[in-house]
Amino acid sequence: MATIARVQQVALQGGREQATAGFLGLWDQIGTGGPPLHRVTIAHYRADLQNDLAEELLWKERALAAADAAQSKEEADAVRPLLASLNLNTAQTLYRLGRRPEALRHLSKAEQSQTHLPHDGYGEMLRIEIAAFRAKIDPQPELPL
């Protein structure tokens, strides 16, 4: 995880090409049988570096698939707090691709996963983002007075 964090720091400092190469190298090194948390994290960060929405979605789907691959209780516990963010990000990408019904399904999964979010600033931020995205893509009609 320390190496993943270092590559993400490069990305945050503007080294997109270097970070892209770093994440691809880590992805190849870890492989499909590597720890789910590592695969989820790499794919999630890799998605953020995409310029093409279809490629971004592909990496987000890889992150979700890695989360689904968690078999032990320890692995599942490690990825569970990330599910709300992963599903929200996937919903946002699907929406930008014009795939609203699929976006709504992932948004519902994000809402269901909120119970696993920490009760801190990060968790609150995600809860607010999820609610805002729901209001954006599925506004409730006004009730008559």
Side-chain angles (χ1 to χ4, degrees):
M1 287 301 287
T3 303
I4 295 169
R6 282 194 297 276
V7 174
Q8 176 62 1
Q9 194 59 37
V10 169
L12 293 173
Q13 293 172 348
R16 288 177 62 93
E17 289 180 26
Q18 186 180 358
T20 296
F23 284 133
L24 286 175
L26 287 170
W27 185 260
D28 290 342
Q29 179 184 351
I30 290 172
T32 57
L37 179 60
H38 295 170
R39 292 176 28 230
V40 166
T41 306
I42 292 167
H44 180 62
Y45 288 155
R46 180 73 176 93
D48 292 341
L49 295 172
Q50 299 303 311
N51 293 320
D52 179 76
L53 283 177
E55 282 292 311
E56 181 179 328
L57 179 61
L58 175 71
W59 283 99
K60 289 178 188 219
E61 289 172 338
R62 286 178 179 160
L64 285 167
D68 287 342
Q71 302 218 348
S72 71
K73 180 180 179 344
E74 181 179 281
E75 289 175 341
D77 288 347
V79 299
R80 194 172 292 118
L82 304 174
L83 292 176
S85 176
L86 294 172
N87 278 292
L88 172 62
N89 284 288
T90 302
Q92 291 168 329
T93 301
L94 286 163
Y95 184 73
R96 289 194 316 264
L97 285 166
R99 295 164 58 180
R100 186 174 177 276
E102 291 171 90
L104 285 167
R105 280 194 295 280
H106 279 279
L107 179 56
S108 291
K109 289 179 182 181
E111 290 166 334
Q112 293 165 8
S113 298
Q114 290 180 96
T115 59
H116 303 293
L117 288 172
H119 295 283
D120 60 9
Y122 172 76
E124 266 315 298
M125 176 196 68
L126 270 175
R127 287 179 185 90
I128 290 168
E129 285 185 29
I130 290 168
F133 192 61
R134 170 63 72 186
K136 176 181 178 175
I137 72 168
D138 193 26
Q140 299 297 315
E142 289 186 32
L143 298 174
L145 297 176

